[in-house]
């Protein structure tokens, strides 16, 4: 072994400390995020908790043009009760959302909706599941009901049901690869790379109908139950692209939950935890590349210099000017009109004699005879007093609502540019919009749109930012997502 020369130690140590100091101080650390929804709030969290950059050196600003945070997870107040107006369900295997809820101390509850389904074709119910037994029924009676209901579904749709379940399981197994340890996953610059890595890209290039026919699902199952699911979850038919349609089917799974008080609390909690500088009521009108930084101009006439800029809102219906211009594929947003009503449905509209005969969830098939996608009960106040949520592809006027309801006390209408209008083959903008540090989280929505896909895309963009800032390997600079106990015992 070569001898150690102590007189060389001090100069080498000083040189090393100088190099590390230069690295940390020269790193671009001001990050501007446009959008306070799940994408923007998740990104803020991942940047704070998965980076080798000291938190004290990382400055994050979040801009939100509305007066509230949460993006498309906003709640609505109907007669004093809060209900999810936007994204309303989370799958049990959506691990980012599960961990966020645990970390923030948010309670998971069953989502709004019901177990009694009827499929309406505009003139009658083509199928109904069994009406559930009362809550105070015995466990044996509830078990017998479950068996009978399952047999009724099998009688209508045959073994195609199990084929559909296997299809959804295969999707979930591939999606779960996004939760592998960071050192086992690449950092992706494009959505195509990301989806090819876990075998899901092919589903974005063909329609859901083509996928399911290829999987030998029956035409009745596709035209009825699957169509009901895609109309409820995405406001679209089985002609939508395959991956988004498959995510819709996963959203019909029994393993579903929502945050007590509203899913917007996830975004709120993450921003409170990471404490970025939050600019409410301030939209960004232009983003200019100045060579060593980006200059953001807001609708308040203010300017902000940012080393890194992240767009965490769909660019399809916002007017942001990029200098120089950026090129992204054209994408049309699918508007979902959500109508909240407190009152009572009209049984005669459905050709029934009693309100008790109307299923708690009315789904619809693709037919010009139907003006809405679904009607569901959110809450029962009394024997003839309910809160309902209606999804439709266009605004429902008062004339139609007065036919649909025998009693209508409160009515709230919301027009959501909820998700892309899916059309195979899908084309994707890159996560990195230029050669420097302009990023776009919501490009992933062209594959599928939900709370978890926003978080998954945000985590990848955070890793992409960190790896490009540090210009070194993922293994050295990306830390795994901490557990709730680790966060609770940290200085955060």
């Amino acid at each position: 072994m070569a001898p150690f020369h102590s007189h060389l130690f001090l100069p080498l140590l000083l040189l090393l400390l100088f190099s590390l100091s230069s690295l940390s101080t020269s790193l671009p650390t001001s990050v501007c995020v446009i959008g306070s929804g799940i994408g923007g709030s998740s990104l803020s969290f991942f940047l704070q908790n998965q980076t080798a950059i000291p938190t004290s050196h990382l400055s994050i600003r979040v801009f939100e043009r509305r007066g509230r945070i949460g993006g498309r997870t906003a709640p609505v107040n109907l007669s004093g009760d809060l209900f999810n107006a936007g994204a309303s369900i989370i799958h049990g295997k959506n691990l980012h959302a599960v961990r966020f809820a645990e970390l923030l101390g948010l309670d998971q509850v069953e989502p709004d909706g019901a177990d009694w389904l009827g499929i309406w074709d505009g003139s009658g119910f083509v199928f109904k599941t069994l009406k559930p037994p009362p809550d105070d029924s015995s466990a044996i009676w509830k078990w017998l009901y479950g068996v009978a209901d399952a047999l009724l579904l099998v009688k209508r749709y045959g073994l195609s049901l199990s084929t559909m379940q296997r299809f959804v399981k295969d999707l979930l197994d591939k999606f779960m690869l996004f939760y592998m340890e960071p050192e086992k996953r690449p950092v992706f610059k494009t959505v195509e790379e990301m989806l090819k890595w876990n075998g899901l890209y092919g589903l974005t290039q063909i329609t859901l109908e083509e996928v399911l026919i290829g999987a030998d699902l029956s035409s009745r199952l596709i035209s009825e139950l699957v169509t009901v699911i895609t109309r409820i979850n995405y406001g679209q038919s089985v002609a939508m692209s395959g991956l988004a349609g498959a995510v819709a089917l996963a959203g019909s799974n029994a393993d579903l939950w929502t945050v007590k008080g509203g899913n917007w609390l996830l975004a709120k909690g993450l921003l409170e935890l990471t404490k970025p500088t939050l600019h409410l009521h301030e939209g960004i009108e232009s983003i200019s590349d100045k060579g060593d930084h980006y200059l953001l101009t807001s609708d308040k006439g203010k300017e902000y210099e940012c080393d890194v800029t992240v767009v965490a809102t769909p660019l399809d219906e916002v007017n942001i000017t990029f200098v120089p211009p950026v090129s992204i594929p054209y994408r049309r947003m699918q508007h979902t009109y959500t109508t909240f009503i407190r009152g009572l449905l009209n049984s005669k509209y459905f050709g029934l004699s009693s309100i008790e005969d109307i299923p708690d969830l009315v789904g619809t098939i693709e037919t010009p005879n139907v003006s809405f996608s679904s009607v569901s009960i959110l809450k029962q106040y009394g024997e003839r007093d309910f809160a309902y949520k209606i999804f439709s592809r266009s605004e429902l006027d008062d004339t139609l609502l007065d036919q649909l309801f025998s009693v209508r006390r409160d009515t709230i209408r919301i027009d959501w540019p909820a998700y892309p209008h899916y059309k195979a083959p899908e084309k994707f903008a890159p996560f990195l919009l230029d050669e420097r540090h302009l990023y776009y989280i919501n490009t992933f929505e062209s594959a599928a749109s939900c709370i978890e896909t926003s978080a998954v895309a945000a985590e990848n963009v955070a890793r992409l930012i960190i790896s490009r800032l540090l210009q070194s390997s993922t293994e050295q600079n990306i830390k795994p997502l901490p557990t709730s106990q680790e966060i609770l015992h940290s200085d955060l």
Side-chain angles (χ1 to χ4, degrees), residues 89 228-235 247-252 391 419 449:
I89 57 172
V228 165
I229 293 169
T230 60
R231 284 170 63 89
I232 292 174
N233 288 340
Y234 279 123
V247 169
L249 294 181
S252 67
F391 287 145
Y419 16 67
S449 176

Side-chain angles (χ1 to χ4, degrees), residues 303-329:
E303 294 183 339
Y304 303 89
E305 292 186 359
C306 313
D307 298 307
V308 173
T309 298
V310 182
V311 179
T313 189
L315 284 171
D316 313 278
E317 295 188 5
V318 295
N319 295 317
I320 299 178
T321 300
F322 292 88
V323 181
V326 299
S327 178
I328 62 175

Side-chain angles (χ1 to χ4, degrees), residues 199-228:
L200 292 175
Y201 176 74
L203 291 177
T204 68
Q205 302 302 293
I206 59 176
T207 69
L208 176 64
E209 185 174 27
E210 290 172 324
V211 172
L212 298 182
I213 289 174
D216 292 329
L217 266 71
S218 71
S219 59
R220 172 179 283 179
L221 179 61
I222 294 172
S223 65
E224 292 183 5
L225 190 58
V226 172
T227 295
V228 165

Side-chain angles (χ1 to χ4, degrees), residues 83-269:
F83 300 104
N84 285 307
S88 58
I89 57 172
I90 304 171
H91 197 280
K93 290 190 176 181
N94 289 169
L95 297 191
H96 287 323
V98 169
R99 290 165 177 168
F100 291 159
E102 292 176 350
L103 173 65
L104 299 170
L106 299 173
D107 293 330
Q108 299 180 24
V109 296
E110 291 186 4
D112 302 326
D115 297 325
W116 186 20
L117 168 67
I119 300 178
W120 171 256
D121 69 357
S123 58
F125 286 97
V126 299
F127 178 72
K128 287 183 184 181
T129 58
L130 296 177
K131 186 175 183 178
D135 291 338
D136 58 358
S137 300
S138 67
I140 293 178
W141 183 245
K142 290 181 179 179
W143 178 82
L144 289 173
Y145 155 78
V147 172
D149 204 37
L151 291 174
L152 187 64
L153 284 164
V154 171
K155 180 181 179 182
R156 180 73 180 178
Y157 300 114
L159 297 180
S160 282
L161 281 171
S162 60
T163 303
M164 185 175 75
Q165 291 171 349
R166 289 194 299 271
F167 172 72
V168 171
K169 181 181 182 302
D170 180 63
L171 165 76
L172 293 173
D173 288 344
K174 291 177 179 177
F175 194 87
M176 295 297 289
L177 295 176
F178 288 138
Y179 305 115
M180 291 174 62
E181 296 86 345
E183 62 270 15
K184 295 181 181 179
R185 286 182 284 131
V187 177
F188 303 100
K189 288 187 177 180
T190 68
V191 179
E192 291 94 334
E193 293 174 1
M194 198 168 179
L195 296 176
K196 287 177 181 178
W197 176 76
N198 66 356
L200 292 175
Y201 176 74
L203 291 177
T204 68
Q205 302 302 293
I206 59 176
T207 69
L208 176 64
E209 185 174 27
E210 290 172 324
V211 172
L212 298 182
I213 289 174
D216 292 329
L217 266 71
S218 71
S219 59
R220 172 179 283 179
L221 179 61
I222 294 172
S223 65
E224 292 183 5
L225 190 58
V226 172
T227 295
V228 165
I229 293 169
T230 60
R231 284 170 63 89
I232 292 174
N233 288 340
Y234 279 123
Q236 297 167 59
S237 72
V238 292
M240 68 188 299
S241 52
L243 181 55
V247 169
L249 294 181
S252 67
N253 194 284
D255 186 17
L256 304 175
W257 60 280
T258 189
V259 174
K260 184 179 181 180
N263 290 332
W264 71 283
L265 293 174
L266 291 172
K268 176 177 179 288

Side-chain angles (χ1 to χ4, degrees), residues 304-372:
Y304 303 89
E305 292 186 359
C306 313
D307 298 307
V308 173
T309 298
V310 182
V311 179
T313 189
L315 284 171
D316 313 278
E317 295 188 5
V318 295
N319 295 317
I320 299 178
T321 300
F322 292 88
V323 181
V326 299
S327 178
I328 62 175
Y330 170 77
R331 186 174 71 178
R332 178 165 68 92
M333 296 298 285
Q334 176 78 34
H335 282 244
T336 289
Y337 293 81
T338 309
T339 307
F340 293 86
I341 292 178
R342 182 168 178 180
L344 187 68
L345 281 172
N346 182 4
S347 59
K348 293 182 179 179
Y349 181 90
F350 296 97
L352 301 173
S353 58
S354 171
I355 189 67
E356 286 78 17
D357 296 328
I358 302 177
D360 296 340
L361 171 59
V362 178
T364 58
I365 62 175
E366 285 293 325
T367 171
N369 301 327
V370 177
S371 301
F372 55 89

